[in-house]
Amino acid sequence: MHDNVTEMGGIIRAAREAKGMTQAALSKATGIAVRTIIDIEKNKRHPTYEVFYKIIRALDLSADHIFWPEKISQTPEQAQLIRAVRSCSDQEQAVFMELAWAYIRAVTREKGATKKADDS
């Protein structure tokens, strides 16, 4: 069995907590018993495909985060934001990108100004 199976529970727990969900809320969203979710998160039980599918869908989590975590260069929160932006219209995406780039430029300038002041 793949080594990441032992990490699956922790990844699922972290994704659930990142969404601000309790185990009970995940249970309600998936129809999976709370005890089963607890056991999966503690790596006491490995989910069937059906259970796994329901969990990752409810958590809006890419299966890549579980099966290839070493290849993931973004957090579940970042991936969720990217999916949210992709679900927007082209016009909404353009506005978001404009705002994001303006913010990045402002933060970069601020960091540069702080660094210059520290160097003085």
Side-chain angles (χ1 to χ4, degrees):
M1 196 166 284
H2 195 280
D3 289 342
N4 288 340
V5 172
T6 60
E7 299 172 17
M8 183 184 302
I11 294 168
I12 290 171
R13 183 186 68 248
R16 176 183 55 75
E17 290 173 349
K19 285 191 70 84
M21 290 181 85
T22 63
Q23 290 168 328
L26 181 57
S27 172
K28 185 175 182 178
T30 59
I32 299 167
V34 174
R35 182 76 248 164
T36 300
I37 291 169
I38 291 168
D39 287 348
I40 290 169
E41 288 185 358
K42 290 183 176 182
N43 292 310
K44 291 182 179 181
R45 174 186 275 179
H46 299 301
T48 64
Y49 171 79
E50 181 182 352
V51 168
F52 177 69
Y53 180 80
K54 288 178 180 181
I55 290 172
I56 65 171
R57 295 291 293 194
L59 295 175
D60 197 20
L61 181 66
S62 166
D64 288 352
H65 279 90
I66 293 172
F67 294 114
W68 293 282
E70 68 280 358
K71 292 184 179 183
I72 302 298
S73 61
Q74 55 193 221
T75 65
E77 295 87 356
Q78 291 167 330
Q80 185 178 1
L81 175 62
I82 290 167
R83 284 190 295 278
V85 170
R86 286 182 179 158
S87 70
C88 294
S89 70
D90 289 345
Q91 183 179 7
E92 292 166 334
Q93 286 183 27
V95 170
F96 176 83
M97 294 299 291
E98 187 176 323
L99 290 170
W101 281 116
Y103 176 78
I104 290 168
R105 285 190 296 273
V107 168
T108 303
R109 279 193 297 271
E110 189 175 299
K111 284 181 182 176
T114 303
K115 183 170 173 50
K116 286 179 186 175
D118 290 344
D119 291 343
S120 299

